[in-house]
Amino acid sequence: MTSAELRRRLIRPGLRAVPTPRANPFALGYLALLLGTTLYGRLGDPETVHRLQSLSSTDAHNLLVHPALSLVGSGLWVAGPVWMPYFWAFALTVAPLERRVGGLRALGVFGAGHVAATLLSQAVVVAAVATGRAEKELLDAMDIGVSYGVLASLGALAGLLGPVGRRTALGAGVALVGHQLVTDPDLVTSVGHPAALAVGVSLWPLLRGRGPRPPWRARRAPAWQVRSRPETASVEG
């Protein structure tokens, strides 16, 4: 492979895949927000941090008392003290999805996965507690993080890739869900993670063929600016 072919096949596509503020304002902006809350969670007053996270938690009690606040607030924190894994998660799922469908649709996919998976998982918790299959303390268990939105983005991205990329993305999503089920069989995430991935897959028909206009594509002139061509007189034989 010559140096020109190497640049054309590997280097240039790789550089185009790097998130930039122009191509990925949603993904990078969200990552910056998560970095800020993560640093505050590590450096801020522990009591205040715990109070804010408890208020943001999408546990069953919070969803009943202040659903909007908990649904939005829970997406402002990462689950744990480490931010860097979420950088790679966004770079491999949210950012490429945003490049294909635009920031608003990427936000819609992320939000749909976050909200739908949260409500479904907490409904299962309520049902499990009501039937005596789970302890009542689970109704107040802390539930924050952005994993549902990331998995929904991965599921949606798979539908916009070619056959090999689609199988790879879906395989990665199933592997992540399976790893969580084996290593940490928590009821909430055991329901929420596969549900979020399924939400992304269900959005394929709405996303295909609805990508943003590439910046290099020339815009068509308005109809009033288009000059009609003079008609050629027909010659009757």
Side-chain angles (χ1 to χ4, degrees), residues 8-31:
R8 180 171 56 86
R9 295 184 180 182
L10 298 178
I11 298 179
R12 290 178 182 174
L15 291 176
R16 285 197 296 267
V18 175
T20 63
R22 181 181 179 183
N24 301 109
F26 167 62
L28 294 181
Y30 207 145
L31 279 172

Side-chain angles (χ1 to χ4, degrees), residues 189-217:
T189 52
S190 295
V191 175
H193 282 172
L197 186 64
V199 168
V201 172
S202 70
L203 295 174
W204 287 1
L206 298 178
L207 297 176
R208 286 172 171 170
R210 293 177 176 270
R213 181 187 297 271
W216 59 84
R217 182 179 295 176

Side-chain angles (χ1 to χ4, degrees), residues 7 39 65 75 94-95 115 117 120-121 124 136-137 140 148 178 192 200-201 206:
R7 288 194 300 269
L39 291 175
V65 176
V94 180
V115 172
L120 178 60
S121 61
V124 171
K136 292 184 178 180
E137 288 76 11
D140 296 306
Y148 295 162
V201 172
L206 298 178

Side-chain angles (χ1 to χ4, degrees), residues 70-130:
S70 58
L71 285 170
V72 174
S74 61
L76 303 181
W77 307 88
V78 299
V82 184
W83 172 83
M84 185 55 69
Y86 294 91
F87 170 82
W88 293 111
F90 271 64
L92 295 174
T93 61
V94 180
L97 176 65
E98 183 180 11
R99 285 196 298 271
R100 287 165 172 80
V101 303
L104 289 178
R105 292 192 182 95
L107 171 61
V109 171
F110 193 97
H114 178 72
V115 172
T118 296
L119 295 179
L120 178 60
S121 61
Q122 290 301 324
V124 171
V125 167
V126 172
V129 172

Side-chain angles (χ1 to χ4, degrees), residues 154-207:
L154 177 59
L157 175 65
L160 305 177
L161 302 176
V164 175
R166 184 178 305 117
R167 289 193 293 268
T168 302
L170 290 178
V174 172
L176 290 172
V177 172
H179 180 266
Q180 182 271 321
L181 290 173
V182 172
T183 60
D184 184 21
D186 173 68
L187 176 60
V188 175
T189 52
S190 295
V191 175
H193 282 172
L197 186 64
V199 168
V201 172
S202 70
L203 295 174
W204 287 1
L206 298 178
L207 297 176

